[in-house]
Amino acid sequence: MNDKYLIYLRKSRSDGEHETVEDVLAKHEIIIQEFAVKTFGSPIPENCIYREVVSGETIQDRPAIKTMLDIIQNEPIKGVLTIEPQRLSRGDLSDCGTIIRAFRYTDTLIITPTKNYDLEVYKLSEMNQKQIA
């Protein structure tokens, strides 16, 4: 695997109160690593896994997402694996926009076990609309 991939793990409010953050992250990591082995032929290394263990409402309050966004903006990262794309965002629309722009303009895929999201497609679509106008 020549391309570099990251994993982002975060407990959601929808995960249920009886599950600990550690339990949810471990469960999701197993699912994602099994997917990575099946898809890429090897697991994602530990140093490429970002676990959000705080429950901050904004990017500023979430150290793992801040670090991961910095990495995708400064290194060639092919994709970020997460259990579902909603795990990346939390908080207000401004934070959502920051996350979307980071993935879009770095051509970084959002990869889940069920679907890949290529935000570059949306950037190209916007460019095509401007050319038509």
Side-chain angles (χ1 to χ4, degrees):
M1 178 170 65
N2 292 331
D3 293 323
K4 186 171 180 181
Y5 294 89
L6 307 176
I7 291 177
Y8 180 76
L9 303 165
R10 180 179 69 82
K11 183 181 187 294
S12 170
R13 291 181 183 135
S14 66
D15 287 319
E17 296 178 21
H18 65 280
E19 292 181 286
T20 68
V21 171
E22 294 78 14
D23 290 342
V24 170
L25 300 187
K27 177 176 64 174
H28 291 174
E29 185 174 345
I30 290 168
I31 293 167
I32 292 170
Q33 288 288 27
E34 288 174 352
F35 172 79
V37 169
K38 181 179 159 194
T39 305
F40 309 123
S42 64
I44 305 301
E46 177 62 33
N47 67 329
C48 294
I49 301 174
Y50 296 88
R51 296 170 183 88
E52 202 70 72
V53 294
V54 298
S55 61
E57 288 294 323
T58 68
I59 290 174
Q60 290 299 64
D61 299 327
R62 296 168 46 212
I65 194 78
K66 284 174 36 179
T67 299
M68 194 190 67
L69 289 174
D70 185 54
I71 290 169
I72 69 171
Q73 292 174 29
N74 291 294
E75 295 179 29
I77 303 297
K78 181 70 175 171
V80 173
L81 289 82
T82 188
I83 202 72
E84 59 188 10
Q86 296 86 342
R87 300 293 166 142
L88 297 168
S89 64
R90 185 169 185 183
D92 63 20
L93 290 177
S94 176
D95 279 355
C96 292
T98 298
I99 292 166
I100 290 168
R101 282 188 303 278
F103 279 85
R104 181 185 299 171
Y105 294 113
T106 61
D107 302 326
T108 305
L109 299 172
I110 298 171
I111 302 169
T112 72
T114 58
K115 185 175 180 179
N116 293 348
Y117 299 85
D118 182 355
L119 301 182
E120 171 71 9
V121 171
Y122 299 106
K123 184 170 74 172
L124 292 174
S125 176
E126 288 174 5
M127 290 172 50
N128 290 338
Q129 288 176 2
K130 289 178 184 175
Q131 290 174 354
I132 292 172

